[in-house]
Amino acid sequence: MGEFIETQAKNIMDPTPAILAGVQDDNNDDWENRLIETACKIEGRYGQLTQLLQMSKQFLVNETSDLKLTTNRDTGEAGMKFINEHKGLNGQPLNLPNLIIIAIPVFLNGPLYRMPVRFRYRKSGGQVKFILSIDNPEKAFEASFDESLDLAVAHTDLTLFKGTPEA
């Protein structure tokens, strides 16, 4: 994961102060408000490149697991609850960023689009697996596609035709 982060560092964007504050405002750029809205919807916390690089060099997860059983002898109902806690080196619960921002072209040589990427991890035995997934990539594709169509019309002075496939 560390090598991947280092290799892709040029595409990772640190959140602006407005994004870190997490408050939508008319003074923010539209893209900032869009990223803030995404974070609010999924209880996201944006991370910075330096955090990711530090984590890639030293990442420790201490896991504790408990099992709680409850039984109602009057009704025969039973319940079972598994509780897993992940803690850091200092014994405190881990509070990792679960979002990062990338700025990449959707189409080759196109403009950069800022997109939130979900950042997750899973402890599996003695290993930690990291998962990165772009949040709502279709939205960026549609915006980039529409921008490309507008650019083509502006540069060619031709009428734009959009069609649908024949049945």
Side-chain angles (χ1 to χ4, degrees):
M1 181 64 177
E3 288 179 30
F4 177 79
I5 294 292
E6 288 176 6
T7 303
Q8 301 304 320
K10 64 187 176 299
N11 299 321
I12 297 172
M13 182 182 149
D14 280 338
T16 63
I19 292 172
L20 289 174
V23 178
Q24 294 187 39
D25 190 302
D26 290 338
N27 294 327
N28 297 345
D29 288 333
D30 289 341
W31 64 269
E32 288 174 311
N33 283 331
R34 183 175 48 82
L35 292 174
I36 292 167
E37 180 182 0
T38 299
C40 289
K41 284 181 183 175
I42 60 174
E43 297 180 12
R45 295 170 311 283
Y46 285 103
Q48 296 176 316
L49 179 59
T50 53
Q51 283 178 294
L52 295 173
L53 290 172
Q54 182 60 33
M55 279 184 357
S56 72
K57 293 175 185 168
Q58 181 181 358
F59 187 74
L60 176 71
V61 177
N62 291 316
E63 181 179 49
T64 58
S65 299
D66 290 318
L67 172 64
K68 292 188 179 183
L69 299 171
T70 57
T71 305
N72 183 334
R73 291 192 179 128
D74 294 333
T75 63
E77 293 174 300
M80 188 182 325
K81 188 175 188 181
F82 290 97
I83 301 171
N84 289 328
E85 292 182 323
H86 292 181
K87 296 183 179 181
L89 186 60
N90 59 2
Q92 297 296 316
L94 289 176
N95 187 20
L96 302 176
N98 57 2
L99 288 170
I100 59 174
I101 302 169
I102 60 169
I104 60 172
V106 174
F107 295 115
L108 184 64
N109 299 323
L112 300 181
Y113 277 82
R114 298 169 192 95
M115 294 179 262
V117 174
R118 287 176 164 248
F119 178 77
R120 301 176 181 155
Y121 77 94
R122 298 287 180 266
K123 187 173 178 293
S124 176
Q127 294 183 341
V128 177
K129 298 186 180 192
F130 293 94
I131 302 135
L132 296 169
S133 58
I134 296 174
D135 188 75
N136 200 0
E138 298 83 15
K139 193 173 187 178
F141 177 83
E142 290 170 9
S144 182
F145 187 73
D146 289 343
E147 185 177 302
S148 296
L149 293 177
D150 293 343
L151 192 62
V153 168
H155 282 90
T156 62
D157 291 325
L158 297 174
T159 304
L160 176 66
F161 292 99
K162 282 185 174 179
T164 56
E166 295 179 9

